[in-house]
Amino acid sequence: MSKPYRIAVLISGDGSTLQSIIDARTQYDPPIEIACVISDRNDAYGLQRAKRADIPTCVITKKQHPTFGNFERALQEAIDPLQVDLIVLAGFMCILSADFVAHYEHQIINIHPSLLPRYPGLHTHQRALEAGDTYHGTSVHIVTADLDEGPLLAQAQLRIAADDTVESLTQRVKQLEHALYPQVIRDIAQNRLKLIQK
Ligand code: GRF
């Protein structure tokens, strides 16, 4: 087995995406090592998932660091000593500044619940339903200073059913995400996908 590929996972909520990475991490070569799960919320359920899997956790809230610069500096101070290969945003509900993104150039990825470039931002399932779209899905992209606009790495899609609701689409898209995100991380770790921006 090769040396593990080290990642930090940033979350804000339930952490079902994190769970999919936890479940897959030892199946790959190199294995994925989650060096730390960092949350901007004390009550994120994903923290429990990390603890159950013996993964170190760290909470950095905006309340502790009311100015945005201080919040991001605290994030950097937590991340830099970990010496990770990749920073994985998994339901992390904070917008990162251009300076922060530049500090980790080509090292941050995000998963977004829509077929980008359609529906950057929030309420993606509702917007896809309201538009009467035939297809919906999820996108993994490199994080840049422009929200949800970085270069795409992978997508997975489903056909919207006549009886789909926001809730059913949320769950169905999450199923796609749980299969796709660990595979994208594996492909980056194996150098089959490269985080280069034109
Ligand atoms: C996912 O749908 C992801 O695409 C979006 O936030 C959701 C995270 O869900 N960025 P969870 O907290 O991992 O369950």
Side-chain angles (χ1 to χ4, degrees):
M1 272 276 185
S2 350
K3 169 173 158 285
Y5 186 78
R6 276 169 73 79
I7 66 171
V9 183
L10 274 56
I11 63 164
S12 299
D14 179 51
S16 66
T17 319
L18 164 70
Q19 187 68 52
S20 70
I21 304 167
I22 292 174
D23 293 344
R25 73 201 143 131
T26 57
Q27 292 166 19
Y28 305 138
D29 183 16
I32 296 164
E33 180 184 339
I34 305 176
C36 192
V37 170
I38 300 173
S39 171
D40 68 317
R41 296 182 55 123
N42 280 304
D43 60 353
Y45 182 67
L47 291 168
Q48 312 291 326
R49 298 180 188 268
K51 284 178 190 152
R52 271 207 301 272
D54 283 327
I55 296 167
T57 59
C58 172
V59 177
I60 298 168
T61 66
K62 289 193 179 139
K63 216 170 173 184
Q64 295 165 321
H65 304 282
T67 66
F68 193 64
N70 288 351
F71 172 69
E72 286 200 333
R73 207 162 311 124
L75 276 183
Q76 281 187 23
E77 281 166 11
I79 294 170
D80 286 347
L82 300 170
Q83 301 211 313
V84 291
D85 301 297
L86 187 70
I87 297 164
V88 174
L89 308 187
F92 185 60
M93 300 303 287
C94 301
I95 296 174
L96 298 168
S97 72
D99 283 348
F100 185 91
V101 172
H103 183 71
Y104 300 106
E105 202 185 11
H106 302 154
Q107 247 196 308
I108 315 178
I109 63 170
N110 182 42
I111 189 159
H112 179 78
S114 79
L115 294 172
L116 291 171
R118 282 180 89 74
Y119 315 130
L122 298 174
H123 310 301
T124 57
H125 309 302
Q126 191 177 330
R127 287 154 75 195
L129 284 173
E130 281 170 7
D133 289 353
T134 310
Y135 294 101
H136 186 46
T138 182
S139 306
V140 179
H141 65 94
I142 302 174
V143 172
T144 63
D146 302 311
L147 182 68
D148 300 328
E149 283 191 8
L152 288 172
L153 295 169
Q155 291 186 311
Q157 70 174 24
L158 51 74
R159 184 181 269 274
I160 297 179
D163 59 352
D164 260 322
T165 60
V166 169
E167 291 71 33
S168 68
L169 269 188
T170 303
Q171 290 316 314
R172 293 177 65 214
V173 169
K174 278 195 174 194
Q175 279 178 16
L176 294 179
E177 296 187 311
H178 299 166
L180 183 68
Y181 214 18
Q183 289 175 9
V184 172
I185 298 166
R186 174 202 63 195
D187 288 352
I188 296 169
Q190 293 179 349
N191 256 323
R192 291 196 284 163
L193 254 182
K194 289 203 197 317
L195 273 62
I196 296 169
Q197 282 167 242
K198 278 196 190 157

